[in-house]
């Protein structure tokens, strides 16, 4: 009897082996699917990351990717510091020292012409060559390109203003009115030169800070925009929806 108990049935052994193989295969497939999901999950999460203003390119590409982008993002610190320092010197000269542009241009021209005139006449007495004064001619193509780009942007602005004045988009109308009102308040505290200098300084500081901390800024901006949209929806339901629209706005709806 003991010998019969020790002898195992080959059929039962093969059945047990099959069951164990299936169990191990199921564990392997589940582990591989888990690892695949872990690999795919960051890609899906990365695709859902919110970016400010809906940008899909790096900040350097948004600014054109050329020399202006390098200056604004401080790729070359010496050039960026020189440009910012020059703008600061101009602002101090005209704003704090109250130096006038026409006076400055006249004084620089007088100084340059006097030096060249004296140098040209002095060379005849000291037997040296007169200074080489290059012939300056401005090319036509860059001015035409700038004028064409400016014309396109102005026409685009006229189209936007026409749509707003026609009563087609109440949201855009309110944004423009608020923006112009805020700009008028800023203009009451500073003149055009100071405002231009502030914008120039912001262009040299905000983009580089945003490029460095873009993840934190984008997350904060996403939360802020969600709250603004909620408040706008409430304001639209209670106020804007009750304001009568023009004929063009009704046709659009």
């Amino acid at each position: 009897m003991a010998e019969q108990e020790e002898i195992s049935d080959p059929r039962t052994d093969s059945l047990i082996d099959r069951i164990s193989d299936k169990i191990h295969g199921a564990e392997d497939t589940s582990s591989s699917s888990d690892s695949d999901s872990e690999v795919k999950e960051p890609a899906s999460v990365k695709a859902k990351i919110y970016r400010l203003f809906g940008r899909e390119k790096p900040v350097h590409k948004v600014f054109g990717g050329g020399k202006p982008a390098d200056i604004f993002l401080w790729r070359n610190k010496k050039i960026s510091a020189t440009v910012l320092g020059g703008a600061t010197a101009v602002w101090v000269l005209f704003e704090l020292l109250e130096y006038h542009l026409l006076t400055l241009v006249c004084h620089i021209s007088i100084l340059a012409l006097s030096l060249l005139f004296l140098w040209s006449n002095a060379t005849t007495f000291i037997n040296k060559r007169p200074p080489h004064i290059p012939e300056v001619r401005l090319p036509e193509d860059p001015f035409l390109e700038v004028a064409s780009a400016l014309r396109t942007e102005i026409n685009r602005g006229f189209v936007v203003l026409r749509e707003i004045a026609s009563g087609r988009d109440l949201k855009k109308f309110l944004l423009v009115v608020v923006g112009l009102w805020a700009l008028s308040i800023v203009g009451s505290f500073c003149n055009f030169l100071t405002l231009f200098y502030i914008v120039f300084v912001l262009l040299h500081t905000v983009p580089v800070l945003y490029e460095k901390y873009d993840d934190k800024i984008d997350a904060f901006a996403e939360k802020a925009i969600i709250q603004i949209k909620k408040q706008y929806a409430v304001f639209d339901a209670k106020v804007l929806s009750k304001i009568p629209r023009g004929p063009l706005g009704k046709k659009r709806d």
Side-chain angles (χ1 to χ4, degrees):
M1 292 293 293
E3 293 179 355
Q4 289 179 357
E5 289 179 357
E6 291 176 358
I7 298 173
S8 60
D9 191 0
R11 294 181 181 179
T12 57
D13 293 338
S14 62
L15 182 61
I16 293 172
D17 293 335
R18 291 178 184 177
I19 294 173
S20 62
D21 291 337
K22 288 183 179 180
I23 293 173
H24 289 297
E27 291 177 354
D28 293 335
T29 55
S30 62
S31 61
S32 62
S33 62
D34 293 338
S35 61
D36 292 337
S37 62
E38 289 176 359
V39 172
K40 294 180 180 179
E41 185 177 359
S44 61
V45 171
K46 187 177 181 180
K48 294 180 180 179
I49 293 177
Y50 174 83
R51 293 299 179 187
L52 195 61
F53 304 115
R55 68 176 182 89
E56 298 179 355
K57 300 179 181 179
V59 181
H60 190 266
K61 294 293 183 181
V62 173
F63 279 91
K67 292 183 178 180
D70 294 338
I71 294 174
F72 291 142
L73 297 176
W74 293 75
R75 293 291 189 268
N76 192 332
K77 295 182 179 180
K78 292 183 179 180
I79 297 177
S80 300
T82 302
V83 173
L84 186 59
T88 304
V90 170
W91 179 76
V92 170
L93 187 65
F94 290 113
E95 185 65 23
L96 297 183
L97 301 180
E98 297 182 354
Y99 211 80
H100 298 286
L101 178 62
L102 182 60
T103 305
L104 178 64
V105 172
C106 292
H107 287 175
I108 291 176
S109 300
I110 291 172
L111 180 62
L113 290 174
S114 300
L115 290 175
L116 291 174
F117 180 81
L118 294 175
W119 189 5
S120 299
N121 287 279
T123 53
T124 59
F125 298 100
I126 59 178
N127 296 324
K128 289 188 177 181
R129 293 181 180 180
H132 175 69
I133 302 175
E135 184 179 357
V136 179
R137 288 186 179 181
L138 297 177
E140 184 179 1
D141 293 337
F143 289 93
L144 294 177
E145 292 176 359
V146 172
S148 178
L150 185 62
R151 179 184 63 85
T152 302
E153 295 299 328
I154 292 174
N155 290 333
R156 188 179 300 174
F158 284 152
V159 171
V160 173
L161 293 176
R162 182 178 180 276
E163 290 180 355
I164 294 172
S166 301
R168 295 183 179 180
D169 195 341
L170 184 59
K171 180 181 178 181
K172 190 179 293 185
F173 168 75
L174 294 176
L175 289 176
V176 171
V177 169
V178 172
L180 292 175
W181 177 70
L183 189 61
S184 66
I185 294 176
V186 174
S188 63
F189 290 100
C190 59
N191 56 15
F192 180 76
L193 180 61
T194 303
L195 181 62
F196 180 80
Y197 176 69
I198 292 173
V199 173
F200 192 81
V201 173
L202 290 177
L203 285 175
H204 281 78
T205 54
V206 174
V208 66
L209 291 176
Y210 174 70
E211 186 183 34
K212 188 175 181 180
Y213 305 103
D214 57 347
D215 293 334
K216 297 180 180 179
I217 295 174
D218 289 337
F220 178 78
E222 183 180 10
K223 296 178 181 179
I225 289 176
I226 291 174
Q227 295 297 325
I228 291 173
K229 287 182 178 179
K230 290 180 179 179
Q231 298 298 326
Y232 176 78
V234 175
F235 182 71
D236 187 15
K238 293 182 177 180
V239 180
L240 299 182
S241 60
K242 299 179 181 179
I243 299 176
R245 299 185 180 182
L248 293 176
K250 292 180 180 179
K251 290 181 180 179
R252 188 179 178 182
D253 293 339

